[in-house]
Amino acid sequence: MAGLDDVFGDIYDDVDALVLFSPSGSYYERFSAIDDDALDIVVVGTENAIGADPFVELPIEFTDVTERVRFGLEGALEQGVIEDGDVLACATSVFDGGIDTVSRVRANAEDQLGLYDLFSKSRADADVIKAVLEVAINLGKKGQKGKPVGALFVVGDAGNVMNKSRPLSYNPFEKSHVHVGDPIVTVMLKEFSRLDGAFVISDSGKIVSAYRYLEPAAEGVDIPKGLGARHMAAGAITRDTNSIAVVLSESDGLVRAFKGGELILEVDPEAY
Ligand SMILES: Nc1ncnc2c1ncn2[C@@H]1O[C@H](COP(=O)(O)OP(=O)(O)OP(=O)(O)O)[C@@H](O)[C@H]1O
Ligand SMILES: [Mn+2]
């Protein structure tokens, strides 16, 4: 009689690599001990606490498993750890706790979201982009005194962004040296996001200005219908400069990221 291995075994039959998402140290060691030279093991996670090599870093702990896997594979392809067409067994956690699910996926280089590029190939530091994304997600979760709030952050290439925008009000960051990673910044950004305009942040994370009205050239920008002026300006400034933009929508509550004039990422803060 056939055992479960004969049935479920198809899932990991002839895979080129095993991709472990945020494994515990002991879990990782059990797989590293497998005696099979043809089987590569790749670890993906928000931090490499277990010192795995190769390792692919996630910018956020995607709660959507499809996004988590796609981002991980995009990063692994980009780093040359796996190849286009490789068959992978991706082991991850869908429910709370440890790894509970294995998906069989074929790596497809043409099916890239550009999500990995957003972090690794932008002018701004990956940590800065990650911090801004976190601020936007937190702002989206809590709103401003319970009311939904919108916000627009333009990150990187700040000199050019300043040249293609003008002030709507005095700049509270004029003489300050605050950085997106600083604990006080979340409070400040939350406070200042009540008023109009965009925050401009440098490659290294310094907050250059609040209250900027963006005036980029809008041609060649193809953002989804239904999004308004804030999203249009966000998309356009990333085409007109070497920046990326993170937008929290006041009307639908979603956080979106743009690069090169295109929508790259869309997440629901409530899911984090
Ligand atoms: N060019 C711009 N630069 C900076 N901020 C802008 C720009 N255009 C609009 N905004 C800001 O976006 C706010 C909302 O505008 P609008 O409703 O048209 O955008 P939206 O894309 O629909 O965003 P939301 O989903 O948050 O409503 C404006 O009140 C303004 O603060
Ligand atoms: Mn609107």
Side-chain angles (χ1 to χ4, degrees):
M1 201 181 85
L4 281 177
D5 250 3
D6 297 312
V7 189
F8 283 129
D10 284 356
I11 290 183
Y12 49 83
D13 210 22
D14 290 328
V15 296
D16 298 296
L18 183 64
V19 187
L20 303 176
F21 286 77
S22 308
S24 66
S26 59
Y27 197 89
Y28 175 57
E29 268 164 31
R30 271 160 59 202
F31 284 98
S32 303
I34 295 174
D35 187 19
D36 181 351
D37 289 342
L39 183 71
D40 293 328
I41 295 175
V42 180
V43 172
V44 180
T46 49
E47 55 185 294
N48 192 4
I50 57 175
D53 183 27
F55 174 76
V56 176
E57 188 180 341
L58 292 179
I60 47 174
E61 191 63 80
F62 294 97
T63 47
D64 181 311
V65 176
T66 319
E67 270 173 18
R68 194 189 302 159
V69 169
R70 288 182 80 175
F71 189 96
L73 297 190
E74 218 169 282
L77 272 169
E78 202 64 47
Q79 289 182 18
V81 178
I82 60 169
E83 282 170 30
D84 188 24
D86 276 359
V87 176
L88 311 153
C90 298
T92 189
S93 164
V94 173
F95 296 96
D96 292 337
I99 288 177
D100 52 26
T101 302
V102 179
S103 308
R104 184 184 176 91
V105 188
R106 185 181 292 273
N108 182 354
E110 274 160 30
D111 190 28
Q112 304 259 23
L113 295 170
L115 202 52
Y116 188 78
D117 281 10
L118 178 69
F119 292 92
S120 63
K121 290 208 188 134
S122 291
R123 262 186 62 135
D125 294 349
D127 286 351
V128 171
I129 298 173
K130 189 169 165 176
V132 170
L133 206 53
E134 273 163 18
V135 167
I137 287 173
N138 283 333
L139 210 54
K141 246 191 269 192
K142 294 177 199 138
Q144 174 72 29
K145 302 193 172 80
K147 287 212 188 88
V149 57
L152 165 50
F153 304 93
V154 186
V155 189
D157 203 7
N160 279 323
V161 174
M162 291 301 278
N163 284 336
K164 289 179 188 282
S165 60
R166 55 193 169 88
L168 287 168
S169 179
Y170 83 102
N171 175 16
F173 295 98
E174 175 87 60
K175 291 203 174 67
S176 70
H177 290 276
V178 281
H179 202 268
V180 279
D182 303 344
I184 184 150
V185 165
T186 314
V187 180
M188 294 174 82
L189 293 183
K190 212 168 145 178
E191 190 59 31
F192 297 132
S193 65
R194 273 186 306 167
L195 290 167
D196 278 350
F199 292 99
V200 177
I201 297 163
S202 78
D203 295 340
S204 62
K206 183 187 179 299
I207 301 177
V208 177
S209 185
Y211 309 140
R212 295 298 287 193
Y213 186 77
L214 307 174
E215 296 179 309
E219 70 259 30
V221 178
D222 184 24
I223 66 162
K225 300 266 178 304
L227 295 174
R230 195 194 318 262
H231 293 84
M232 180 61 82
I237 195 78
T238 70
R239 193 176 160 93
D240 216 8
T241 65
N242 264 320
S243 60
I244 66 112
V246 174
V247 187
L248 167 63
S249 166
E250 187 177 348
S251 40
D252 67 15
L254 300 183
V255 170
R256 295 180 177 84
F258 296 86
K259 184 179 181 181
E262 282 177 37
L263 175 65
I264 302 283
L265 173 72
E266 192 172 84
V267 292
D268 183 355
E270 298 299 338
Y272 289 85

